[in-house]
Amino acid sequence: MLRLLGLAVLLNLLLLLPLWLRFGEIATRWVALEAVLLTALLVVLPAGRLPWLRPLLTVTVLVAVLAGLGDAATHLAFGRSLNLYLDLPLLRSVFHLLEGNLGTWLAWVVSLAALLLVGLIGWVLNRGFRDGQRQATGAAAVPVAALLLVASTALMAAQWHHQRWLPVARAPAMDTLRFQGEQLVETHRAHRDFSARMAAAPTRATALPGLAGRDVLLVFVESYGASAVFDAPFAEVVAPRLDEMAERLATAGLSVATGVLEAPIRGGQSWLAHASALGGLEIDNALWYRLMLASERPTLVDDFRATGHRTLTVMPAITLAWPEGEAYGFDEIHAAADIDYAGPPLNWVTMPDQFTLHHFEQRIRQPREAPLFAQIALISSHAPWTPILPVLDDWDAVGDGSVFHRWADAGEPPDVLWQDMARVRDHYARSLDYALEASARWAEAFVDDDTLLILLGDHPAAPLIIGEEAGFGVPVHVISGDAALLAPFLARGFVAGMRPASDEASAALDALRNWLHEDFGP
């Protein structure tokens, strides 16, 4: 009987843990109906029968618990629910994030420790199901178990129909598995509809004669959300930087218009934001991303090539093979291995933003023989946000990046910093401050009348950092020495200067391509 009670307690804790992590409020959620049902079922069933039942129950409970934990983690990181069909490929990205922050060996140790823990829990559950048989409890327990079995089944049936007869009871495994099943069906239906849209999309690029002969630079600032401009404690650092940038750019003879657009994601998966802006289509999951790239639908890359531009992308965070870049059709791809950087990696960040912009200006943009369309990703404001570098006053001092060796061991290691969430948030704001200052210094020196710079966030930071209530808005700064290029954006609700009027998005990020077509197209 003690083993049976221990199994019931273990099941209850495992099944409720994802809910506690997701919602808190342990006092309102302390009974997992599946724990009662399964324990009672073991007592009622004849001992020694149905040998396949134990592994089936073990696997089902493990899947439900892991899916629940994944859902809680996805909400903290991305502000949305887990979709097993779409999100399993992200496990590889999670490992690479661990590898960049902890090193390869420690990343493997953490991953293997997680697998061993799952295996240990599975072994304990299997032993518990084996020992929780009728012969271990005695016949007297059968009537009580039968009563609990009926009661838990009735309560779960009520919750299946969205009624809760016992306020402190939940059916987390049932809810999780049902939700994932519904998402699977819905995803397949949306897959079919999205494929039909791709098949019906025009396959010819649209030239942009209003931007012919001008460099158009689409520069994404990692994790730069509107909440960083308006919400404490981030605004205390970022807002003064934006004011300083406005003064600096005005002194350089540059005009600025700023608005807010809604990103398709939060917390990560920057490539989905890039795809939305380039493709003119909301891309908020990996399946849509693959389908768009596999289709004949043109993107801004094709549009600018049709306009006579040389097209390229600078992606310092890409350290592996990147077939997606070839699918876009860029004339040139400058990933981490293609950039001659002699400095140190800075945890996950392969190179600081100031070097990325310096390399682009000196090694890629010059000589300016043809108009250029470039997508550039700045990554210094990517988690873990340590160390925070200063911006060098002299661009020539940046050189090959070896100057940054002096900061190789600056700042705290990520595992130390992330023990204090208040300090993590401070470092996040300061990393944005660095990225924006580097961008302003670069624009001040190198943006002219024949350049249209669109400096924008790819997505807000994770809800764990900025809060669940923060939205999906990202600031978009349009900068040029030719004020006429900004007029269409001002007509669409953007405001002069570096500060957006509010954190409310005027449109989705995918509207950017359509706006360029309408304002600068034939």
Side-chain angles (χ1 to χ4, degrees):
M1 181 60 75
L2 288 176
R3 290 180 178 179
L4 193 67
L5 291 176
L7 174 65
V9 171
L10 175 62
L11 284 171
N12 199 68
L13 291 175
L14 285 175
L15 292 170
L16 288 177
L17 179 60
L19 291 183
W20 294 341
L21 292 175
R22 171 73 180 89
F23 299 104
E25 302 176 357
I26 296 177
T28 64
R29 301 175 176 88
W30 53 272
V31 175
L33 292 172
E34 294 94 346
V36 179
L37 184 145
L38 292 177
T39 307
L41 184 64
L42 291 174
V43 177
V44 172
L45 287 176
R49 303 287 179 87
L50 307 176
W52 48 266
L53 185 61
R54 289 201 309 272
L56 176 62
L57 292 180
T58 300
V59 170
T60 301
V61 171
L62 277 179
V63 169
V65 171
L66 291 175
L69 291 173
D71 188 63
T74 304
H75 271 284
L76 289 172
F78 303 127
R80 60 172 177 81
S81 298
L82 174 73
N83 186 322
L84 283 173
Y85 183 80
L86 298 176
D87 291 334
L88 280 178
L90 289 181
L91 289 175
R92 182 185 182 195
S93 298
V94 171
F95 177 79
H96 289 152
L97 185 61
L98 287 173
E99 191 176 29
N101 290 328
L102 304 178
T104 301
W105 286 106
L106 193 53
W108 276 109
V109 169
V110 171
S111 302
L112 291 175
L115 290 174
L116 289 174
L117 179 60
V118 171
L120 177 61
I121 293 173
W123 180 81
V124 171
L125 285 174
N126 190 61
R127 285 288 303 270
F129 288 134
R130 186 196 70 182
D131 294 340
Q133 295 288 321
R134 180 175 171 180
Q135 69 268 25
T137 62
V142 174
V144 176
L147 180 62
L148 290 175
L149 184 62
V150 171
S152 59
T153 301
L155 290 171
M156 289 178 65
Q159 291 202 22
W160 180 271
H161 293 92
H162 307 289
Q163 298 177 13
R164 185 167 292 118
W165 294 346
L166 186 61
V168 297
R170 298 293 189 275
M174 180 185 73
D175 290 342
T176 296
L177 296 177
R178 180 173 70 167
F179 178 72
Q180 292 302 327
E182 291 172 347
Q183 283 208 320
L184 179 62
V185 173
E186 181 59 32
T187 301
H188 275 291
R189 183 182 299 116
H191 182 180
R192 180 191 60 211
D193 296 341
F194 192 87
S195 297
R197 291 174 62 191
M198 290 294 94
T203 58
R204 296 185 60 185
T206 302
L208 303 168
L211 295 173
R214 302 178 187 269
D215 286 351
V216 179
L217 311 177
L218 189 64
V219 181
F220 288 95
V221 178
E222 173 67 37
S223 302
Y224 180 31
S227 58
V229 180
F230 291 96
D231 297 346
F234 322 111
E236 299 168 6
V237 176
V238 175
R241 174 61 61 195
L242 294 178
D243 294 336
E244 189 271 342
M245 289 177 70
E247 295 179 5
R248 183 181 293 276
L249 296 176
T251 301
L254 300 176
S255 299
V256 185
T258 296
V260 173
L261 295 180
E262 185 174 282
I265 34 79
R266 288 190 292 180
Q269 296 180 274
S270 304
W271 55 90
L272 302 181
H274 302 166
S276 298
L278 292 175
L281 191 69
E282 183 179 21
I283 305 295
D284 63 359
N285 64 76
L287 178 59
W288 284 198
Y289 182 62
R290 295 195 300 269
L291 289 174
M292 189 197 80
L293 292 180
S295 73
E296 297 298 321
R297 180 185 176 90
T299 68
L300 281 176
V301 179
D302 305 294
D303 298 335
F304 277 104
R305 184 183 297 104
T307 311
H309 286 66
R310 165 183 161 220
T311 65
L312 60 88
T313 183
V314 182
M315 303 292 285
I318 298 296
T319 58
L320 302 173
W322 193 46
E324 294 90 341
E326 297 179 5
Y328 275 121
F330 286 106
D331 295 324
E332 302 171 22
I333 297 173
H334 299 266
D338 307 307
I339 299 173
D340 295 328
Y341 174 61
L346 303 166
N347 294 311
W348 185 88
V349 176
T350 56
M351 60 195 71
D353 291 345
Q354 187 172 17
F355 177 82
T356 300
L357 294 169
H358 173 76
H359 179 86
F360 167 74
E361 195 64 43
Q362 300 301 321
R363 301 289 186 88
I364 299 174
R365 194 179 184 193
Q366 304 296 340
R368 297 171 69 170
E369 298 174 348
L372 181 69
F373 170 69
Q375 174 194 258
I376 305 173
L378 302 181
I379 59 173
S380 289
S381 48
H382 192 289
W385 305 307
T386 180
I388 307 296
L389 272 61
V391 176
L392 304 181
D393 292 327
D394 183 4
W395 282 93
D396 291 334
V398 175
D400 62 0
S402 56
V403 66
F404 296 109
H405 273 291
R406 72 182 71 170
W407 291 285
D409 299 317
E412 295 172 288
D415 58 333
V416 175
L417 173 65
W418 279 71
Q419 296 177 24
D420 185 343
M421 194 53 62
R423 298 186 61 247
V424 170
R425 294 187 175 100
D426 173 67
H427 274 61
Y428 163 62
R430 290 168 55 201
S431 72
L432 283 177
D433 179 65
Y434 167 81
L436 292 169
E437 182 182 3
S439 300
R441 297 283 188 93
W442 166 68
E444 173 189 40
F446 301 111
V447 172
D448 55 23
D449 293 0
D450 289 326
T451 302
L452 177 65
L453 167 62
I454 302 176
L455 181 72
L456 71 165
D458 53 3
H459 56 73
L464 174 67
I465 305 301
I466 62 175
E468 288 274 359
E469 68 284 353
F472 285 72
V474 293
V476 181
H477 309 290
V478 187
I479 305 169
S480 179
D482 185 352
L485 296 179
L486 276 57
F489 295 92
L490 294 170
R492 294 183 183 277
F494 281 42
V495 296
M498 286 294 297
R499 282 216 209 186
S502 77
D503 60 354
E504 294 294 326
S506 58
L509 189 57
D510 53 272
L512 187 59
R513 180 179 180 233
N514 294 329
W515 287 1
L516 294 178
H517 283 177
E518 294 172 10
D519 300 332
F520 301 102

